[in-house]
Amino acid sequence: MTIQNFKSLERSSTLFLRLILLVLTIGVLVLCGFLLYQIIQSDSLGYYRPILMGLVISAIPLFYIFYQAYNLLNNIDNNLSLTDSSVNSLRIIKVCSFIISLMYLIGSPFIFNVAQQDDAPGVVLINIILIMGPFSVGVFTYILQKLLINAIGYKSENELTI
């Protein structure tokens, strides 16, 4: 495989990831718009209104995660993946992921109360998934951040040797 073919393959993969990122962003935007409309217009939400408001508020750090992921893809395209900018983007993704997880953890007692009143144990399961999902992303991003810091250190050592 020639270098030119490898570069075009690399660009096509980052283009595909950007397309996925765009679709996810549009999907979350549409979902937030629908939830906001339901919160404002519907009187039959009852106890679920604060839960839906929490979902909409938690989308703010999620959009920032999407933005930082887009920055990471730009760094990869520009051959700047082993830079402090990439480490900073991973750090921000890690912090935002933990913030989202913490938001759902703080809302857990309210969700448990609503689930008990409505006799809906599925709501508790969804809450656990919403806590563990961002937490797992944060842990994985933390590991990637540490690996990237080590790779940058090895790269600088290698440049000093030559």
Side-chain angles (χ1 to χ4, degrees):
M1 181 179 272
T2 65
I3 293 176
Q4 184 65 23
N5 289 342
F6 183 72
K7 291 247 186 215
S8 66
L9 179 66
E10 185 178 298
R11 290 222 184 246
S12 65
S13 66
T14 56
L15 182 66
F16 178 69
L17 290 174
R18 284 182 190 179
L19 181 66
I20 289 175
L21 204 55
L22 179 68
V23 168
L24 286 173
T25 305
I26 291 172
V28 171
L29 254 169
V30 167
L31 180 66
C32 286
F34 175 73
L35 289 177
L36 280 175
Y37 177 77
Q38 288 298 321
I39 290 169
I40 293 170
Q41 295 296 326
S42 181
D43 291 331
S44 64
L45 291 176
Y47 299 116
Y48 289 100
R49 181 168 296 188
I51 295 172
L52 296 178
M53 288 172 55
L55 282 172
V56 172
I57 292 171
S58 69
I60 295 168
L62 183 64
F63 286 128
Y64 200 54
I65 288 173
F66 289 159
Y67 174 71
Q68 291 301 322
Y70 183 78
N71 284 345
L72 274 175
L73 290 173
N74 280 339
N75 287 345
I76 291 170
D77 276 347
N78 296 328
N79 282 337
L80 299 172
S81 56
L82 294 177
T83 60
D84 289 335
S85 172
S86 296
V87 172
N88 189 37
S89 291
L90 286 174
R91 182 186 57 81
I92 291 171
I93 290 172
K94 174 189 69 173
V95 169
C96 287
S97 296
F98 287 142
I99 287 172
I100 292 171
S101 186
L102 184 66
M103 287 173 65
Y104 290 132
L105 186 64
I106 290 171
S108 290
F110 183 76
I111 291 173
F112 290 143
N113 187 23
V114 169
Q116 191 173 25
Q117 287 177 355
D118 282 350
D119 194 27
V123 175
V124 174
L125 179 65
I126 291 171
N127 183 41
I128 292 171
I129 292 170
L130 288 175
I131 292 170
M132 293 306 295
F135 187 79
S136 300
V137 170
V139 169
F140 183 69
T141 307
Y142 176 74
I143 293 169
L144 283 177
Q145 179 185 1
K146 290 299 179 186
L147 285 172
L148 187 60
I149 289 171
N150 288 340
I152 291 171
Y154 291 141
K155 178 186 171 194
S156 65
E157 285 178 16
N158 190 19
E159 289 173 353
L160 291 175
T161 321
I162 298 174

